[in-house]
Amino acid sequence: MNGPETLCPSCDAKKHGGVDITDLVQDMRSRLPQEKQCDDHIYLQRIAACLACKELMLPYTCRVCGCIVYLRAISRDAYCPNSREDGWKNISNHT
């Protein structure tokens, strides 16, 4: 067994020269229609909430659902998967 560091696919990809997270975010934004994306200020609030969450596996994987939080936060209709401590509950999806 390789140890706990191999449990996070996004960390493992980054460590082994995988795609940079900024490239993934730009790619998703280019594929998702503008009307389905949340506003930038909401995106930044969501990311701040995720970064403060105890369920975040650094650098950017949600321990609850396994998503890359920087990608999940882009969609207007996305939600925080942590039902116990919804970190996005005070963040509006709309302007």
Side-chain angles (χ1 to χ4, degrees):
M1 186 159 180
N2 293 331
E5 63 190 62
T6 61
L7 296 176
C8 174
S10 59
C11 296
D12 199 44
K14 182 132 177 130
K15 181 171 41 174
H16 296 294
V19 177
D20 185 11
I21 191 66
T22 54
D23 292 339
L24 288 173
V25 169
Q26 289 175 349
D27 183 57
M28 183 158 177
R29 283 190 180 271
S30 72
R31 294 171 185 261
L32 191 65
Q34 186 68 34
E35 65 272 5
K36 292 191 177 196
Q37 295 181 34
C38 68
D39 294 328
D40 288 341
H41 73 279
I42 292 171
Y43 176 78
L44 293 174
Q45 289 177 346
R46 289 176 172 183
I47 294 302
C50 290
L51 292 175
C53 181
K54 65 182 180 186
E55 297 297 341
L56 180 70
M57 292 189 310
L58 294 175
Y60 38 66
T61 303
C62 175
R63 187 183 324 268
V64 175
C65 71
C67 76
I68 296 174
V69 298
Y70 289 94
L71 299 180
R72 181 182 203 92
I74 294 171
S75 175
R76 177 182 288 263
D77 297 327
Y79 59 92
C80 174
N82 188 351
S83 61
R84 287 188 216 149
E85 297 180 35
D86 182 355
W88 295 0
K89 67 182 168 208
N90 294 321
I91 301 170
S92 172
N93 284 340
H94 307 286
T95 56

Coordinates of all heavy atoms in Angstrom, one line a residue:
M1 N 0.9 -1.2 0.0 CA 0.0 0.0 0.0 C 0.9 1.2 0.0 O 1.9 1.3 0.7 CB -0.9 0.0 1.2 CG -1.9 1.0 1.3 SD -3.2 0.5 2.4 CE -4.3 1.9 2.3
N2 N 0.5 2.2 -0.7 CA 1.3 3.4 -0.9 C 1.1 4.5 0.1 O 1.7 5.5 0.2 CB 1.0 4.1 -2.3 CG 1.5 3.2 -3.4 OD1 2.5 2.4 -3.2 ND2 0.9 3.3 -4.5
G3 N 0.1 4.4 1.0 CA -0.2 5.3 2.1 C -1.3 6.3 1.7 O -1.8 6.3 0.6
P4 N -1.6 7.1 2.7 CA -2.8 8.0 2.5 C -2.6 9.1 1.4 O -3.6 9.6 0.9 CB -2.9 8.7 3.9 CG -1.7 8.5 4.6 CD -1.0 7.3 4.0
E5 N -1.4 9.4 1.0 CA -1.2 10.4 0.0 C -1.8 10.0 -1.3 O -2.1 10.8 -2.2 CB 0.2 10.8 -0.1 CG 1.1 9.7 -0.6 CD 2.6 10.1 -0.5 OE1 3.0 10.3 0.6 OE2 3.2 10.1 -1.6
T6 N -2.0 8.7 -1.6 CA -2.6 8.3 -2.8 C -4.1 8.2 -2.8 O -4.7 7.9 -3.8 CB -2.0 6.9 -3.2 OG1 -2.4 6.0 -2.2 CG2 -0.5 6.9 -3.3
L7 N -4.7 8.6 -1.7 CA -6.2 8.6 -1.7 C -6.8 9.8 -2.4 O -8.0 9.7 -2.7 CB -6.6 8.6 -0.2 CG -6.3 7.4 0.6 CD1 -6.7 7.6 2.1 CD2 -6.9 6.2 0.0
C8 N -6.1 10.8 -2.7 CA -6.6 12.0 -3.4 C -6.2 12.0 -4.8 O -5.1 12.3 -5.1 CB -6.2 13.2 -2.7 SG -6.7 14.7 -3.5
P9 N -7.1 11.7 -5.8 CA -6.7 11.6 -7.2 C -6.2 13.0 -7.7 O -5.3 13.0 -8.5 CB -8.0 11.2 -7.9 CG -9.1 11.0 -6.9 CD -8.5 11.4 -5.5
S10 N -6.8 14.1 -7.3 CA -6.3 15.4 -7.8 C -4.9 15.7 -7.3 O -4.1 16.2 -8.0 CB -7.3 16.5 -7.4 OG -7.5 16.6 -6.0
C11 N -4.6 15.3 -6.0 CA -3.3 15.5 -5.5 C -2.3 14.7 -6.3 O -1.2 15.1 -6.6 CB -3.2 15.2 -4.0 SG -4.2 16.2 -3.0
D12 N -2.7 13.4 -6.5 CA -1.8 12.5 -7.2 C -1.5 13.0 -8.6 O -0.4 12.9 -9.0 CB -2.4 11.1 -7.2 CG -1.4 10.0 -7.4 OD1 -0.3 10.0 -6.8 OD2 -1.7 9.1 -8.2
A13 N -2.5 13.5 -9.3 CA -2.3 13.9 -10.7 C -1.4 15.1 -10.7 O -0.5 15.2 -11.5 CB -3.6 14.3 -11.3
K14 N -1.6 16.0 -9.7 CA -0.7 17.2 -9.7 C 0.7 16.9 -9.4 O 1.7 17.4 -10.0 CB -1.3 18.2 -8.6 CG -0.4 19.5 -8.6 CD -1.4 20.7 -8.6 CE -0.5 21.9 -8.4 NZ -0.9 22.9 -9.4
K15 N 0.9 15.9 -8.5 CA 2.2 15.5 -8.1 C 3.0 14.9 -9.2 O 4.2 15.0 -9.3 CB 2.1 14.6 -6.9 CG 3.5 14.1 -6.4 CD 3.4 13.3 -5.1 CE 2.3 12.3 -5.0 NZ 2.3 11.5 -3.9
H16 N 2.3 14.2 -10.1 CA 2.9 13.5 -11.2 C 2.8 14.2 -12.5 O 2.8 13.6 -13.6 CB 2.3 12.1 -11.3 CG 2.5 11.2 -10.1 ND1 3.8 10.8 -9.7 CD2 1.7 10.8 -9.2 CE1 3.7 10.1 -8.6 NE2 2.5 10.1 -8.2
G17 N 2.7 15.5 -12.4 CA 2.8 16.4 -13.6 C 1.4 16.4 -14.4 O 1.4 16.7 -15.5
G18 N 0.3 16.2 -13.6 CA -1.0 16.3 -14.2 C -1.4 17.7 -14.6 O -0.6 18.6 -14.5
V19 N -2.6 17.8 -15.0 CA -3.1 19.1 -15.5 C -3.2 20.1 -14.3 O -3.6 19.7 -13.2 CB -4.5 18.9 -16.1 CG1 -5.1 20.2 -16.5 CG2 -4.4 18.0 -17.3
D20 N -2.8 21.3 -14.5 CA -2.9 22.3 -13.5 C -4.4 22.7 -13.3 O -5.2 22.7 -14.2 CB -2.1 23.6 -14.0 CG -2.0 24.6 -12.9 OD1 -2.4 24.4 -11.8 OD2 -1.6 25.8 -13.3
I21 N -4.7 23.0 -12.0 CA -6.1 23.3 -11.7 C -6.6 24.5 -12.4 O -7.8 24.5 -12.8 CB -6.3 23.4 -10.1 CG1 -7.8 23.4 -9.8 CG2 -5.6 24.6 -9.6 CD1 -8.5 22.2 -10.1
T22 N -5.8 25.5 -12.7 CA -6.2 26.7 -13.4 C -6.6 26.3 -14.8 O -7.6 26.9 -15.4 CB -5.2 27.8 -13.4 OG1 -4.0 27.3 -13.9 CG2 -5.0 28.3 -12.0
D23 N -5.9 25.3 -15.4 CA -6.3 24.9 -16.8 C -7.6 24.2 -16.8 O -8.4 24.4 -17.7 CB -5.2 23.9 -17.3 CG -3.9 24.6 -17.6 OD1 -3.9 25.9 -17.8 OD2 -2.9 23.9 -17.7
L24 N -7.9 23.4 -15.7 CA -9.2 22.7 -15.6 C -10.3 23.7 -15.4 O -11.4 23.5 -16.1 CB -9.1 21.7 -14.4 CG -8.3 20.5 -14.6 CD1 -8.3 19.7 -13.3 CD2 -8.8 19.6 -15.7
V25 N -10.1 24.7 -14.6 CA -11.1 25.7 -14.4 C -11.4 26.5 -15.7 O -12.6 26.6 -16.1 CB -10.7 26.7 -13.3 CG1 -11.7 27.9 -13.2 CG2 -10.7 25.9 -11.9
Q26 N -10.4 26.9 -16.4 CA -10.6 27.6 -17.7 C -11.3 26.7 -18.7 O -12.2 27.2 -19.4 CB -9.2 28.1 -18.2 CG -8.6 29.2 -17.4 CD -7.3 29.6 -17.9 OE1 -6.6 28.9 -18.7 NE2 -6.8 30.7 -17.4
D27 N -10.9 25.4 -18.7 CA -11.6 24.5 -19.7 C -13.1 24.4 -19.3 O -13.9 24.4 -20.2 CB -10.9 23.2 -19.6 CG -11.5 22.2 -20.7 OD1 -11.5 22.5 -21.9 OD2 -11.9 21.1 -20.2
M28 N -13.4 24.2 -18.1 CA -14.8 24.0 -17.7 C -15.6 25.3 -18.0 O -16.7 25.2 -18.5 CB -14.9 23.7 -16.2 CG -16.4 23.4 -15.9 SD -16.5 22.4 -14.4 CE -18.3 22.4 -14.2
R29 N -15.0 26.5 -17.7 CA -15.7 27.7 -18.0 C -15.9 27.9 -19.5 O -17.0 28.4 -19.9 CB -14.9 28.9 -17.5 CG -15.0 29.1 -16.0 CD -14.4 30.4 -15.6 NE -14.5 30.6 -14.1 CZ -15.6 31.2 -13.5 NH1 -16.6 31.6 -14.2 NH2 -15.6 31.4 -12.2
S30 N -15.0 27.4 -20.3 CA -15.2 27.5 -21.7 C -16.3 26.6 -22.3 O -16.9 26.9 -23.3 CB -13.9 27.3 -22.5 OG -13.5 25.9 -22.4
R31 N -16.5 25.5 -21.6 CA -17.5 24.5 -22.0 C -18.9 24.8 -21.4 O -19.9 24.4 -22.0 CB -17.0 23.1 -21.6 CG -15.8 22.6 -22.3 CD -15.3 21.3 -21.7 NE -14.1 20.9 -22.3 CZ -13.9 20.0 -23.2 NH1 -15.0 19.4 -23.7 NH2 -12.8 19.7 -23.7
L32 N -18.9 25.4 -20.3 CA -20.2 25.6 -19.6 C -20.8 27.0 -20.1 O -20.1 28.0 -20.0 CB -20.0 25.7 -18.1 CG -21.3 25.7 -17.2 CD1 -22.0 24.3 -17.4 CD2 -20.9 25.9 -15.8
P33 N -22.0 27.0 -20.6 CA -22.6 28.2 -21.1 C -22.6 29.3 -20.0 O -22.8 29.0 -18.8 CB -24.1 27.8 -21.5 CG -24.0 26.3 -21.7 CD -23.0 25.8 -20.8
Q34 N -22.4 30.5 -20.4 CA -22.3 31.6 -19.5 C -23.5 31.7 -18.5 O -23.4 31.9 -17.3 CB -22.2 32.9 -20.2 CG -21.9 34.1 -19.3 CD -20.6 34.1 -18.7 OE1 -19.6 33.6 -19.2 NE2 -20.5 34.6 -17.4
E35 N -24.7 31.4 -19.0 CA -25.9 31.5 -18.2 C -26.0 30.4 -17.2 O -26.8 30.5 -16.2 CB -27.2 31.5 -19.1 CG -27.4 30.3 -19.8 CD -26.8 30.2 -21.2 OE1 -26.0 31.1 -21.6 OE2 -27.0 29.2 -21.9
K36 N -25.1 29.4 -17.3 CA -25.1 28.3 -16.3 C -24.0 28.5 -15.3 O -23.9 27.7 -14.4 CB -25.0 27.0 -17.0 CG -26.3 26.6 -17.8 CD -26.3 25.2 -18.2 CE -27.6 24.9 -18.9 NZ -27.8 23.5 -19.1
Q37 N -23.2 29.5 -15.5 CA -22.1 29.8 -14.5 C -22.5 30.8 -13.5 O -23.3 31.7 -13.8 CB -20.9 30.4 -15.3 CG -20.3 29.4 -16.3 CD -19.1 30.0 -17.0 OE1 -18.3 30.8 -16.4 NE2 -18.9 29.7 -18.2
C38 N -22.0 30.6 -12.3 CA -22.3 31.6 -11.2 C -21.4 32.9 -11.5 O -20.4 32.8 -12.2 CB -22.1 31.1 -9.8 SG -20.4 30.7 -9.4
D39 N -21.8 34.0 -10.9 CA -21.0 35.2 -11.0 C -19.7 35.0 -10.3 O -19.6 34.2 -9.3 CB -21.8 36.4 -10.4 CG -23.0 36.7 -11.1 OD1 -23.0 36.5 -12.4 OD2 -24.0 37.2 -10.5
D40 N -18.7 35.8 -10.7 CA -17.3 35.6 -10.1 C -17.3 35.8 -8.6 O -16.6 35.1 -7.9 CB -16.4 36.6 -10.8 CG -16.0 36.2 -12.2 OD1 -16.2 35.0 -12.6 OD2 -15.6 37.1 -13.0
H41 N -18.1 36.8 -8.1 CA -18.0 37.0 -6.6 C -18.6 35.9 -5.9 O -18.2 35.5 -4.8 CB -18.7 38.4 -6.3 CG -20.1 38.4 -6.4 ND1 -20.8 38.6 -7.6 CD2 -21.1 38.3 -5.4 CE1 -22.1 38.6 -7.4 NE2 -22.3 38.4 -6.1
I42 N -19.6 35.2 -6.4 CA -20.2 34.0 -5.8 C -19.2 32.9 -5.9 O -19.1 32.2 -4.9 CB -21.6 33.7 -6.5 CG1 -22.6 34.8 -6.2 CG2 -22.1 32.3 -6.0 CD1 -23.9 34.6 -6.9
Y43 N -18.6 32.7 -7.0 CA -17.6 31.7 -7.1 C -16.5 31.9 -6.1 O -16.1 30.9 -5.4 CB -16.9 31.8 -8.5 CG -15.8 30.8 -8.8 CD1 -16.1 29.5 -9.0 CD2 -14.5 31.2 -8.7 CE1 -15.0 28.6 -9.2 CE2 -13.4 30.3 -8.9 CZ -13.7 29.0 -9.2 OH -12.7 28.1 -9.3
L44 N -16.0 33.1 -5.9 CA -15.0 33.3 -4.9 C -15.4 33.1 -3.5 O -14.7 32.5 -2.6 CB -14.4 34.7 -5.0 CG -13.7 35.0 -6.4 CD1 -13.3 36.5 -6.5 CD2 -12.4 34.1 -6.5
Q45 N -16.7 33.4 -3.2 CA -17.3 33.1 -1.9 C -17.4 31.6 -1.6 O -17.1 31.1 -0.5 CB -18.6 33.7 -1.7 CG -18.6 35.2 -1.6 CD -20.0 35.8 -1.5 OE1 -21.0 35.2 -1.8 NE2 -20.1 37.1 -1.1
R46 N -17.8 30.9 -2.6 CA -17.9 29.4 -2.5 C -16.5 28.8 -2.3 O -16.3 27.9 -1.4 CB -18.5 28.8 -3.8 CG -19.9 29.1 -4.0 CD -20.4 28.6 -5.3 NE -21.9 28.6 -5.4 CZ -22.5 28.2 -6.5 NH1 -21.9 27.6 -7.5 NH2 -23.8 28.3 -6.6
I47 N -15.5 29.3 -3.0 CA -14.2 28.7 -2.9 C -13.6 29.0 -1.5 O -13.0 28.2 -0.8 CB -13.2 29.3 -3.9 CG1 -13.6 28.8 -5.3 CG2 -11.7 28.9 -3.6 CD1 -13.6 27.2 -5.5
A48 N -13.9 30.2 -1.0 CA -13.5 30.6 0.4 C -14.1 29.7 1.4 O -13.4 29.2 2.3 CB -13.8 32.1 0.7
A49 N -15.4 29.4 1.2 CA -16.1 28.5 2.1 C -15.5 27.1 2.1 O -15.3 26.4 3.1 CB -17.6 28.4 1.8
C50 N -15.2 26.6 0.9 CA -14.5 25.3 0.7 C -13.2 25.2 1.4 O -12.8 24.3 2.0 CB -14.5 24.9 -0.8 SG -16.1 24.6 -1.5
L51 N -12.4 26.3 1.2 CA -11.0 26.3 1.7 C -11.0 26.3 3.2 O -10.1 25.9 3.9 CB -10.2 27.5 1.2 CG -9.9 27.4 -0.3 CD1 -9.2 28.7 -0.8 CD2 -9.0 26.2 -0.6
A52 N -12.1 26.8 3.8 CA -12.2 26.9 5.3 C -12.9 25.6 5.8 O -12.9 25.4 7.1 CB -13.1 28.1 5.7
C53 N -13.4 24.7 5.0 CA -14.1 23.6 5.4 C -13.2 22.5 5.9 O -12.1 22.2 5.3 CB -15.0 23.0 4.3 SG -16.0 21.6 4.7
K54 N -13.6 21.8 7.0 CA -12.7 20.7 7.5 C -12.8 19.5 6.6 O -12.0 18.6 6.8 CB -13.2 20.4 8.9 CG -14.6 19.8 9.0 CD -15.0 19.5 10.4 CE -16.4 18.9 10.4 NZ -16.9 18.8 11.8
E55 N -13.7 19.4 5.7 CA -13.8 18.3 4.8 C -13.0 18.4 3.5 O -13.0 17.6 2.6 CB -15.3 18.0 4.4 CG -16.1 17.6 5.6 CD -15.7 16.3 6.3 OE1 -15.0 15.5 5.7 OE2 -16.1 16.1 7.4
L56 N -12.2 19.5 3.4 CA -11.4 19.7 2.2 C -10.1 18.9 2.4 O -9.4 19.0 3.4 CB -11.0 21.2 2.1 CG -10.1 21.5 0.8 CD1 -10.9 21.3 -0.4 CD2 -9.6 22.9 0.9
M57 N -9.8 18.1 1.4 CA -8.5 17.4 1.4 C -7.6 18.3 0.5 O -7.9 18.5 -0.7 CB -8.6 16.0 0.7 CG -9.4 15.1 1.6 SD -9.3 13.3 1.0 CE -9.7 13.4 -0.7
L58 N -6.6 18.9 1.1 CA -5.8 19.8 0.3 C -5.1 19.1 -0.8 O -4.7 18.0 -0.7 CB -4.7 20.4 1.3 CG -5.3 21.3 2.4 CD1 -4.2 21.8 3.3 CD2 -6.0 22.5 1.8
P59 N -4.9 19.8 -2.0 CA -5.2 21.2 -2.1 C -6.6 21.5 -2.6 O -7.1 22.7 -2.4 CB -4.2 21.6 -3.2 CG -4.1 20.4 -4.1 CD -4.2 19.2 -3.1
Y60 N -7.4 20.6 -3.1 CA -8.7 21.0 -3.6 C -9.8 19.9 -3.8 O -10.7 20.1 -4.6 CB -8.6 21.8 -5.0 CG -7.5 21.2 -5.9 CD1 -7.7 20.0 -6.5 CD2 -6.4 21.9 -6.2 CE1 -6.7 19.5 -7.3 CE2 -5.4 21.4 -7.1 CZ -5.6 20.2 -7.6 OH -4.6 19.7 -8.5
T61 N -9.7 18.9 -3.1 CA -10.7 17.8 -3.2 C -11.6 17.8 -2.0 O -11.2 17.8 -0.9 CB -9.9 16.4 -3.3 OG1 -9.1 16.5 -4.4 CG2 -10.9 15.3 -3.5
C62 N -12.9 17.7 -2.3 CA -13.9 17.5 -1.2 C -13.9 16.1 -0.7 O -14.1 15.2 -1.5 CB -15.3 17.9 -1.8 SG -16.6 17.7 -0.6
R63 N -13.8 15.9 0.5 CA -13.8 14.6 1.1 C -15.2 14.0 1.1 O -15.3 12.8 1.1 CB -13.2 14.7 2.6 CG -13.1 13.3 3.2 CD -12.6 13.4 4.7 NE -11.7 14.5 5.0 CZ -10.4 14.4 5.0 NH1 -9.8 13.3 4.7 NH2 -9.7 15.5 5.3
V64 N -16.2 14.8 1.1 CA -17.6 14.3 1.1 C -18.0 13.7 -0.2 O -18.5 12.6 -0.2 CB -18.6 15.5 1.5 CG1 -20.0 15.0 1.4 CG2 -18.3 16.0 2.9
C65 N -17.7 14.3 -1.3 CA -18.1 13.8 -2.6 C -17.0 13.4 -3.5 O -17.2 12.8 -4.6 CB -19.1 14.7 -3.3 SG -18.3 16.2 -3.9
G66 N -15.8 13.9 -3.3 CA -14.6 13.6 -4.1 C -14.4 14.6 -5.3 O -13.6 14.4 -6.1
C67 N -15.3 15.6 -5.3 CA -15.1 16.6 -6.4 C -13.9 17.5 -6.2 O -13.4 17.6 -5.1 CB -16.4 17.4 -6.6 SG -16.6 18.7 -5.3
I68 N -13.5 18.1 -7.3 CA -12.6 19.2 -7.2 C -13.4 20.5 -7.0 O -14.1 20.9 -7.8 CB -11.7 19.3 -8.5 CG1 -10.9 18.0 -8.6 CG2 -10.8 20.5 -8.5 CD1 -10.1 17.9 -9.9
V69 N -13.2 21.1 -5.8 CA -14.1 22.2 -5.4 C -14.0 23.4 -6.4 O -15.1 24.0 -6.6 CB -13.8 22.6 -4.0 CG1 -14.1 21.5 -3.0 CG2 -12.4 23.2 -3.8
Y70 N -12.9 23.6 -7.0 CA -12.8 24.7 -7.9 C -13.6 24.5 -9.2 O -14.1 25.5 -9.8 CB -11.3 24.9 -8.3 CG -10.5 25.5 -7.2 CD1 -9.7 24.6 -6.4 CD2 -10.4 26.9 -7.0 CE1 -9.0 25.2 -5.4 CE2 -9.6 27.4 -6.0 CZ -8.9 26.5 -5.2 OH -8.1 27.0 -4.2
L71 N -13.9 23.3 -9.5 CA -14.8 23.0 -10.6 C -16.3 23.0 -10.2 O -17.1 23.5 -10.9 CB -14.4 21.6 -11.3 CG -13.0 21.5 -11.8 CD1 -12.7 20.2 -12.4 CD2 -12.7 22.6 -12.8
R72 N -16.6 22.4 -9.1 CA -17.9 22.3 -8.6 C -18.5 23.7 -8.4 O -19.7 24.0 -8.7 CB -18.0 21.6 -7.3 CG -19.4 21.5 -6.8 CD -19.4 20.7 -5.4 NE -20.7 20.2 -5.2 CZ -21.1 19.0 -5.5 NH1 -20.3 18.1 -6.1 NH2 -22.4 18.6 -5.3
A73 N -17.7 24.6 -7.9 CA -18.2 26.0 -7.6 C -18.5 26.8 -8.8 O -19.2 27.9 -8.6 CB -17.1 26.7 -6.8
I74 N -18.2 26.4 -10.0 CA -18.4 27.2 -11.2 C -19.9 27.3 -11.5 O -20.5 28.3 -11.9 CB -17.6 26.7 -12.4 CG1 -16.1 26.9 -12.1 CG2 -18.0 27.4 -13.7 CD1 -15.2 26.2 -13.2
S75 N -20.6 26.1 -11.4 CA -21.9 26.0 -11.9 C -22.9 26.8 -11.0 O -22.9 26.7 -9.8 CB -22.4 24.5 -11.9 OG -23.7 24.4 -12.2
R76 N -23.8 27.5 -11.6 CA -24.8 28.3 -10.9 C -25.7 27.4 -10.0 O -26.0 27.8 -8.9 CB -25.7 29.0 -11.9 CG -26.8 29.8 -11.3 CD -27.6 30.5 -12.4 NE -27.0 31.6 -13.0 CZ -27.1 32.8 -12.7 NH1 -27.9 33.2 -11.7 NH2 -26.5 33.8 -13.3
D77 N -26.0 26.2 -10.5 CA -26.9 25.3 -9.8 C -26.2 24.4 -8.8 O -26.8 23.5 -8.2 CB -27.7 24.5 -10.8 CG -28.6 25.4 -11.6 OD1 -29.0 26.5 -11.1 OD2 -28.8 25.1 -12.8
A78 N -24.9 24.5 -8.7 CA -24.1 23.6 -7.8 C -24.5 23.8 -6.3 O -25.0 24.9 -6.0 CB -22.6 23.8 -8.0
Y79 N -24.2 22.9 -5.5 CA -24.5 23.0 -4.1 C -23.4 22.4 -3.3 O -22.6 21.6 -3.8 CB -25.8 22.3 -3.7 CG -25.8 20.8 -4.1 CD1 -25.4 19.9 -3.2 CD2 -26.2 20.4 -5.4 CE1 -25.4 18.6 -3.5 CE2 -26.1 19.1 -5.7 CZ -25.7 18.2 -4.8 OH -25.6 16.8 -5.1
C80 N -23.3 22.7 -2.0 CA -22.3 22.1 -1.1 C -22.8 20.7 -0.8 O -23.9 20.5 -0.3 CB -22.2 22.9 0.1 SG -21.1 22.2 1.4
P81 N -22.0 19.7 -1.0 CA -22.4 18.3 -0.8 C -22.4 17.9 0.7 O -22.9 16.9 1.1 CB -21.5 17.5 -1.6 CG -20.2 18.3 -1.5 CD -20.7 19.7 -1.6
N82 N -21.9 18.8 1.6 CA -21.8 18.5 3.0 C -23.1 18.8 3.7 O -23.3 20.0 4.0 CB -20.6 19.2 3.6 CG -20.3 18.8 5.0 OD1 -21.1 18.1 5.6 ND2 -19.2 19.3 5.6
S83 N -24.0 17.9 3.8 CA -25.3 18.1 4.4 C -25.3 18.5 5.8 O -26.2 19.2 6.3 CB -26.2 16.9 4.2 OG -25.7 15.8 4.9
R84 N -24.2 18.2 6.6 CA -24.1 18.6 8.0 C -23.7 20.0 8.1 O -24.2 20.7 9.0 CB -23.1 17.7 8.7 CG -23.5 16.3 8.9 CD -22.5 15.6 9.8 NE -22.5 14.2 9.3 CZ -21.5 13.4 9.3 NH1 -20.3 13.8 9.8 NH2 -21.5 12.2 8.9
E85 N -22.8 20.5 7.3 CA -22.4 21.9 7.4 C -22.3 22.5 6.1 O -21.3 22.8 5.5 CB -20.9 21.9 8.0 CG -20.9 21.3 9.4 CD -19.4 21.4 9.9 OE1 -18.7 22.3 9.6 OE2 -19.1 20.5 10.7
D86 N -23.5 22.8 5.5 CA -23.6 23.4 4.2 C -22.8 24.7 4.2 O -23.3 25.7 4.6 CB -25.0 23.6 3.8 CG -25.1 24.1 2.4 OD1 -24.1 24.5 1.7 OD2 -26.3 24.3 1.9
G87 N -21.6 24.7 3.7 CA -20.7 25.8 3.7 C -21.2 26.9 2.7 O -20.7 28.0 2.8
W88 N -22.1 26.6 1.8 CA -22.6 27.6 0.9 C -24.0 28.1 1.2 O -24.6 28.9 0.5 CB -22.7 27.0 -0.5 CG -21.4 26.6 -1.1 CD1 -20.1 26.7 -0.6 CD2 -21.2 26.0 -2.4 NE1 -19.2 26.2 -1.4 CE2 -19.8 25.7 -2.5 CE3 -22.0 25.6 -3.4 CZ2 -19.3 25.1 -3.7 CZ3 -21.5 25.0 -4.5 CH2 -20.1 24.8 -4.7
K89 N -24.5 27.7 2.4 CA -25.9 28.1 2.7 C -26.2 29.6 2.7 O -27.3 30.0 2.4 CB -26.3 27.5 4.0 CG -25.6 28.0 5.2 CD -26.1 27.3 6.5 CE -25.1 27.6 7.6 NZ -25.1 26.6 8.6
N90 N -25.2 30.4 3.0 CA -25.4 31.9 3.1 C -24.9 32.6 1.8 O -24.8 33.8 1.8 CB -24.7 32.4 4.3 CG -25.3 31.9 5.6 OD1 -26.6 31.8 5.7 ND2 -24.5 31.6 6.6
I91 N -24.6 31.8 0.8 CA -24.2 32.3 -0.5 C -25.3 32.2 -1.5 O -25.7 31.1 -1.8 CB -22.9 31.6 -1.0 CG1 -21.8 31.7 0.1 CG2 -22.4 32.2 -2.3 CD1 -20.6 30.9 -0.2
S92 N -25.7 33.3 -2.1 CA -26.8 33.3 -3.0 C -26.3 32.7 -4.4 O -25.1 33.0 -4.8 CB -27.3 34.7 -3.3 OG -28.2 34.7 -4.3
N93 N -27.1 32.0 -5.1 CA -26.8 31.5 -6.4 C -27.0 32.5 -7.5 O -26.6 32.3 -8.6 CB -27.6 30.2 -6.7 CG -27.2 29.0 -6.0 OD1 -26.1 28.9 -5.5 ND2 -28.1 28.1 -5.9
H94 N -27.7 33.6 -7.1 CA -28.0 34.6 -8.2 C -27.6 35.9 -7.7 O -27.5 36.2 -6.5 CB -29.5 34.5 -8.5 CG -30.0 33.1 -8.8 ND1 -29.7 32.6 -10.0 CD2 -30.7 32.2 -8.1 CE1 -30.2 31.3 -10.0 NE2 -30.8 31.1 -8.9
T95 N -27.4 36.9 -8.6 CA -27.1 38.2 -8.2 C -28.3 39.0 -7.8 O -29.4 38.6 -8.0 CB -26.4 39.0 -9.4 OG1 -27.3 39.0 -10.5 CG2 -25.1 38.4 -9.7

